[in-house]
Amino acid sequence: MRESLPRMLGGIVREIDSLKQGMTEPGDMPSMFLLLRGRFKPKITKILLEERTIGTAFIIGHTDNAVLGTSTLGAGTMGSYSTVETITPNQGFTIIGKNEIRDWLVNNTSYHASLITVGNDDTVFGINQKQLSKKTYEKASTNTTASKKITMVITLPSTIADGSLVTDSIKEVGVEGNV
Amino acid sequence: MSNPYPISGYVKDKDGNVIDEAVVSVVDLTLGESGIATTNSLGEYIFDLANLGEYSNGDKIKIGGEHDHTVDTSVGFYEQDITISPLFSRVPVSEYTLSKVKDLRITIDIEFENNVPMMNAGVNEIRDWLSSGSATIPTHIAWGEGTTAPAVTDTSMESEQQRNTVSITSAEREARYLAILAADEANGKALTRAGLFNAGAGGTMFVHAPHATIAKTASFDIQTQISIFID
């Protein structure tokens, strides 16, 4: 049965009143919403590998009857560093790395970049990676800063090529936080 | 042939979440042999040291590149959970073989790209945290008048009118800061910008964002969210 027009109009008015009561109460303050966003991109811009010979700065032999590199304990010379390879990848961070920065920004537990790690796999970089493909060693880095830049440095001494690593071959370098 | 000597455990991230398909290296430094294990969907790995050969009691083992263990054949197994450190980035390099007569020095540069409304000062605050772990996060939003277009080198807001404390939430790669400019604040002002700071006065300006002019009156408030997104 069709409703009469007055009956329909009355129903619509009651429905509007009901909606208004649900949406606002007397005393509510209308709000304007402002959404703004800043963004930035961290990236690896340079990897520099350098080597130097230990020269005459070494001791070999028995701990009590050692043969010195020179005739005087504490003397000897180190070679100078020479470049092995310079890479300018201009490469972004992983998702997990970006979320680590986010965690700091929102005051959650977070770990800053304090380790340089090396590994033995040359798999291409992927933003979803969570670890070095085949991590073999990590070392706390010395970090310095300039405007919008961080420089991280570690030295792997010659003595480390004697059983401390999975292998003496390095094919990947990483930056990690230290949990 | 050596008896089985299982080395096992769970791999987790810093929040305690298990990691599947994580690669765990196991090295018998004494034998000079190595192998890998991969975690399953539960984040668990298991590796039989006997797979590396004739191990001996007292062999020095390195697990995951950082955990040390000495083989104890009287026990016959070892459990080692691993918490992986967050990986910020990694770069393949040309194969380099370590030498017993050479030191190797590795230098890595990290740089930051940003444009308005993300300020250099804010980026450098983030840089400080990333480098040393010491910096101050955003805590306040400010609103201002002014006609000068923001520049990345800005360190303060032109004609700042009001500054309020934020509440903080997050999303994937994004930090979100919300503050309200109340109905009784900044009335009669022609607001043209909002900024994100890490202090109640002064401080470092992370974001300086222009917007369409808002003629502020006492009949409304302005709920303002400023987010920082990491590309």
Side-chain angles (χ1 to χ4, degrees):
Chain A
M1 187 177 85
R2 290 180 64 181
E3 276 192 298
S4 67
L5 183 58
R7 202 181 186 85
M8 286 170 62
L9 288 174
I12 291 171
V13 169
R14 282 193 292 276
E15 188 170 346
I16 291 174
D17 281 344
S18 174
L19 284 172
K20 286 167 68 176
Q21 285 172 13
M23 286 170 63
T24 59
E25 296 293 336
D28 271 4
M29 177 60 62
S31 291
M32 176 177 291
F33 291 88
L34 198 55
L35 301 177
L36 305 165
R37 174 189 272 183
R39 56 200 309 159
F40 70 98
K41 180 176 184 178
K43 52 184 182 177
I44 303 285
T45 54
K46 188 173 79 173
I47 305 278
L48 174 63
L49 272 59
E50 301 170 282
E51 66 180 15
R52 67 177 178 185
T53 61
I54 59 174
T56 57
F58 67 94
I59 299 175
I60 60 173
H62 191 273
T63 52
D64 293 326
N65 300 296
V67 175
L68 303 178
T70 70
S71 60
T72 305
L73 182 66
T77 58
M78 297 290 288
S80 298
Y81 277 108
S82 61
T83 298
V84 174
E85 183 179 22
T86 303
I87 303 171
T88 54
N90 202 38
Q91 178 176 286
F93 276 18
T94 60
I95 296 294
I96 200 171
K98 295 173 187 177
N99 283 333
E100 198 69 18
I101 299 174
R102 173 213 58 196
D103 283 346
W104 172 72
L105 282 168
V106 299
N107 208 29
N108 286 344
T109 301
S110 54
Y111 299 90
H112 68 281
S114 58
L115 297 176
I116 291 179
T117 54
V118 298
N120 186 36
D121 190 79
D122 57 1
T123 305
V124 295
F125 172 77
I127 61 172
N128 292 311
Q129 289 176 328
K130 297 177 181 177
Q131 59 176 157
L132 253 64
S133 300
K134 289 183 182 178
K135 180 176 176 179
T136 60
Y137 188 74
E138 62 178 38
K139 188 170 184 179
S141 60
T142 298
N143 294 352
T144 57
T145 61
S147 180
K148 300 199 297 180
K149 183 179 179 180
I150 302 169
T151 297
M152 306 175 67
V153 181
I154 65 167
T155 299
L156 301 187
S158 58
T159 50
I160 213 165
D162 193 14
S164 296
L165 305 188
V166 174
T167 170
D168 290 342
S169 172
I170 294 175
K171 297 180 182 177
E172 56 181 334
V173 173
V175 175
E176 294 185 5
N178 190 9
V179 175
Chain B
M1 186 164 174
S2 296
N3 290 330
Y5 192 100
I7 297 174
S8 63
Y10 289 91
V11 177
K12 300 178 181 178
D13 65 17
K14 61 160 187 170
D15 297 319
N17 303 310
V18 296
I19 307 293
D20 63 343
E21 297 186 27
V23 175
V24 179
S25 62
V26 178
V27 184
D28 189 321
L29 297 168
T30 307
L31 267 182
E33 297 290 338
S34 66
I36 61 171
T38 305
T39 58
N40 58 22
S41 60
L42 300 177
E44 185 178 23
Y45 75 94
I46 184 164
F47 185 87
D48 187 354
L49 191 61
N51 290 337
L52 298 184
E54 292 284 337
Y55 66 86
S56 302
N57 188 55
D59 275 8
K60 301 299 182 185
I61 310 296
K62 189 167 284 283
I63 304 164
E66 56 183 299
H67 298 282
D68 296 319
H69 169 61
T70 301
V71 172
D72 184 346
T73 52
S74 68
V75 176
F77 68 94
Y78 183 65
E79 294 179 347
Q80 176 67 61
D81 288 342
I82 298 171
T83 301
I84 61 170
S85 298
L87 176 69
F88 288 97
S89 194
R90 61 172 283 276
V91 177
V93 299
S94 299
E95 183 172 7
Y96 179 87
T97 302
L98 294 169
S99 166
K100 295 180 183 179
V101 295
K102 292 183 180 179
D103 295 341
L104 173 67
R105 183 165 68 188
I106 302 174
T107 302
I108 298 177
D109 283 348
I110 299 172
E111 296 186 71
F112 301 84
E113 279 183 359
N114 64 287
N115 292 302
V116 172
M118 190 74 196
M119 299 290 103
N120 288 349
V123 167
N124 282 330
E125 193 77 16
I126 296 167
R127 171 211 65 191
D128 287 347
W129 169 78
L130 190 60
S131 174
S132 68
S134 179
T136 305
I137 67 171
T139 56
H140 289 75
I141 287 176
W143 297 263
E145 296 182 303
T147 57
T148 306
V152 290
T153 52
D154 291 346
T155 57
S156 62
M157 177 179 289
E158 180 183 13
S159 190
E160 181 177 329
Q161 299 301 313
Q162 180 68 33
R163 188 182 292 202
N164 293 337
T165 308
V166 299
S167 59
I168 303 174
T169 58
S170 66
E172 178 91 336
R173 296 186 286 156
E174 187 170 31
R176 296 173 175 169
Y177 307 88
L178 176 68
I180 300 174
L181 182 64
D184 61 350
E185 295 174 329
N187 288 324
K189 303 300 180 181
L191 302 175
T192 58
R193 60 205 60 220
L196 184 64
F197 295 83
N198 65 358
T204 298
M205 184 161 65
F206 284 74
V207 174
H208 188 192
H211 57 73
T213 302
I214 299 173
K216 182 67 174 62
T217 72
S219 62
F220 65 96
D221 60 30
I222 304 177
Q223 307 217 14
T224 303
Q225 176 178 288
I226 298 179
S227 62
I228 296 177
F229 187 81
I230 302 130
D231 283 318

